[in-house]
Amino acid sequence: MFAELITIGDELLIGQVVDTNSAWMGRELNNIGIEVLRIVSVRDREEEILEAIDNAMKRANIVLVTGGLGPTKDDITKQTLCKYFNTELIFSEEVFENVKRVLAGKIPMNKLNKGQAMVPKNCTVINNPVGSASVSWFERDGKVLVSMPGVPQEMTAVMTESVLPKLHERFQTDVIMHQTFLVQHYPESVLAEKLEAWEVALPDCIKLAYLPKLGIIRLRLTGRGHDRKEVETLLNREKAKLETILGEDIFSEEDTPLEIIIGELLKKRKLTVSTAESCTGGSIAERLTSIAGSSEYFKGSIVAYSNEVKKDLLHVSSETLEKYGAVSEETVIEMVKGAMKALKTDCAVATSGIAGPGGGTPEKPVGTVWIAAGYKNEIRTYKQETNRGRAMNIERAGNNALLMLRDLLK
């Protein structure tokens, strides 16, 4: 069973708004056995919307459309759908009552808001529990098109409460099951070579995907079939084989962010952590503190961008900085020690490097980052040397720092 997603709005195509709707819908559809074939974004232009809908209806069983349902003149999705399905807009008293309920005491009723109660005649209308734009459900030739608001919280509400249950009831779908593994210590090509024989021998109903992420590779096994128990058995069999091949290089069997994995380890062992960051500029601390409840284990961070701060707050010696430089193994070792002492934590990570785009030298080119992780009397270091641009260099350094800390604490 296949679906196609169409998102409507100029703002999506000029980068003013990021399309988070499609990612959410793709995950939720997959959970009920519906595979997304394509995601298409189009401008608020009738001819482009019509073309996208026509192509999607030829390819897919289900077409989900978001956007263009607001009260303003540039919102033309309802009118365009009427043209495609050869129908007209009519006033719905039921939808109007819902619009009044949603707007009550917040926004004054005017002709534009009242216009939200105009709905396509030949469709099933689903009221929006959190917004004024209703949902239109069309059926033709055994296929379904659903038009929903583009506001993410409205879309997720109507999908969760109404659209997904109706789709699940309307269509017979296969079982689709995923198992994700987080793997460290491998470049993608080296890992693929190691897994080649196992991957070639996978049964036809099991597929493997490689999802690299700056120092980490996510391996996703996907099983598909009619019988849930059979698919689960096959996935578990292949999972056991993969675990035998990779061993401890698999550091998680869920697609869980590193900062959550670290937080769980710290809570389990009742430990505290701090960071001493130069080139990463506090981004590691930001990741750790983005998790609810992180105050239980995160004490603080010293962003030591200058040598003065490294010396004054982290007590990196002048001799170390003069002899080895700020970007050195010796410096990050002293930064880790300084952070644990200054912030009174059980463990810490430190980074110092040249994120770019400038600042590199022949001896220390852009992308060079020294990383240290310390716990009690043990400190481990790593030299990161790949230049992928400033943002990716920083993200990779953060991943490597957290992976090193995890290896120390496991």
Side-chain angles (χ1 to χ4, degrees):
M1 194 60 56
F2 299 109
E4 185 156 322
L5 313 182
I6 301 173
T7 59
I8 298 171
D10 291 11
E11 66 277 7
L12 299 170
L13 296 168
I14 64 173
Q16 188 176 23
V17 172
V18 176
D19 174 24
T20 58
N21 284 348
S22 295
W24 188 90
M25 287 191 288
R27 286 192 299 271
E28 296 302 314
L29 288 168
N30 213 252
N31 287 339
I32 61 171
I34 298 170
E35 185 174 350
V36 176
L37 281 179
R38 281 179 176 80
I39 299 171
V40 177
S41 295
V42 297
R43 300 184 298 168
D44 297 292
R45 306 291 187 277
E46 181 184 277
E47 65 278 9
E48 294 174 26
I49 297 171
L50 286 171
E51 181 183 10
I53 290 172
D54 191 49
N55 289 334
M57 291 289 282
K58 291 174 182 175
R59 289 187 291 248
N61 312 92
I62 300 159
V63 179
L64 301 183
V65 182
T66 62
L69 297 179
T72 56
K73 289 183 179 180
D74 62 331
D75 292 305
I76 60 170
T77 299
K78 283 191 294 189
Q79 296 90 326
T80 306
L81 287 169
C82 285
K83 187 169 185 177
Y84 182 80
F85 287 102
N86 193 29
T87 188
E88 60 183 341
L89 292 174
I90 59 171
F91 184 79
S92 167
E93 192 64 44
E94 180 185 352
V95 174
F96 185 52
E97 289 302 314
N98 188 63
V99 172
K100 289 192 289 185
R101 178 189 63 79
V102 170
L103 300 184
K106 304 171 189 175
I107 301 171
M109 180 65 70
N110 59 27
K111 65 178 182 179
L112 292 177
N113 289 324
K114 188 175 182 179
Q116 291 290 72
M118 299 297 292
V119 299
K121 182 178 181 180
N122 296 336
C123 77
T124 299
V125 177
I126 301 170
N127 269 324
N128 181 344
V130 293
S132 62
S134 61
V135 175
S136 301
W137 176 293
F138 294 89
E139 296 201 25
R140 175 189 283 182
D141 300 327
K143 299 185 175 185
V144 167
L145 182 146
V146 186
S147 173
M148 297 174 287
V151 179
Q153 57 266 38
E154 295 185 27
M155 181 278 297
T156 55
V158 296
M159 280 281 286
T160 302
E161 291 188 17
S162 303
V163 177
L164 287 169
K166 282 175 67 69
L167 289 174
H168 194 42
E169 181 182 349
R170 172 70 173 75
F171 293 100
Q172 294 294 319
T173 59
D174 282 345
V175 173
I176 301 176
M177 299 180 70
H178 301 290
Q179 173 73 61
T180 299
F181 305 85
L182 303 186
V183 180
Q184 62 181 336
H185 301 147
Y186 284 95
E188 184 181 7
S189 59
V190 176
L191 181 60
E193 186 176 44
K194 182 161 187 172
L195 298 179
E196 183 176 8
W198 168 73
E199 184 177 359
V200 169
L202 286 172
D204 291 340
C205 62
I206 305 288
K207 302 298 180 186
L208 176 68
Y210 293 80
L211 308 167
K213 188 181 179 182
L214 297 175
I216 300 167
I217 296 178
R218 290 175 293 170
L219 294 176
R220 187 188 67 231
L221 274 179
T222 299
R224 181 192 300 276
H226 299 299
D227 185 88
R228 176 171 291 275
K229 190 172 182 180
E230 182 180 341
V231 173
E232 188 174 9
T233 298
L234 287 172
L235 272 178
N236 285 336
R237 187 183 72 188
E238 298 305 326
K239 169 187 170 183
K241 293 179 183 178
L242 183 64
E243 289 170 338
T244 299
I245 297 169
L246 295 180
E248 291 191 357
D249 289 329
I250 297 174
F251 67 90
S252 179
E253 294 187 357
E254 295 180 6
D255 195 1
T256 305
L258 264 174
E259 47 270 30
I260 292 180
I261 293 172
I262 295 295
E264 291 301 318
L265 269 173
L266 291 166
K267 285 194 292 186
K268 183 179 179 181
R269 301 190 61 178
K270 293 181 169 47
L271 300 175
T272 56
V273 68
S274 57
T275 71
E277 303 183 55
S278 184
C279 65
T280 50
S283 62
I284 301 173
E286 190 278 330
R287 288 172 63 175
L288 290 169
T289 56
S290 69
I291 308 304
S294 56
S295 58
E296 185 178 338
Y297 51 83
F298 184 82
K299 286 288 193 74
S301 175
I302 295 174
V303 180
Y305 220 64
S306 70
N307 283 353
E308 288 74 21
V309 175
K310 290 180 178 71
K311 288 187 290 185
D312 294 344
L313 296 184
L314 293 172
H315 305 292
V316 178
S317 71
S318 298
E319 292 77 9
T320 296
L321 291 168
E322 289 168 8
K323 185 176 181 179
Y324 302 105
V327 182
S328 66
E329 182 178 27
E330 292 78 8
T331 293
V332 291
I333 288 173
E334 292 189 27
M335 288 172 69
V336 159
K337 291 178 180 178
M340 287 193 288
K341 184 175 180 180
L343 297 168
K344 297 180 175 60
T345 58
D346 301 298
C347 54
V349 294
T351 60
S352 187
I354 306 159
T361 66
E363 295 77 23
K364 297 177 182 179
V366 171
T368 303
V369 181
W370 272 102
I371 305 164
Y375 171 49
K376 293 185 176 178
N377 296 320
E378 184 178 1
I379 295 176
R380 298 181 185 179
T381 60
Y382 174 72
K383 187 181 183 183
Q384 177 178 303
E385 298 181 274
T386 305
N387 179 22
R388 297 290 182 85
R390 183 177 182 83
M392 293 178 74
N393 290 342
I394 291 171
E395 184 179 349
R396 181 185 288 271
N399 286 341
N400 282 328
L402 293 176
L403 284 170
M404 291 168 64
L405 182 60
R406 176 199 166 271
D407 287 344
L408 270 178
L409 299 178
K410 68 182 181 182

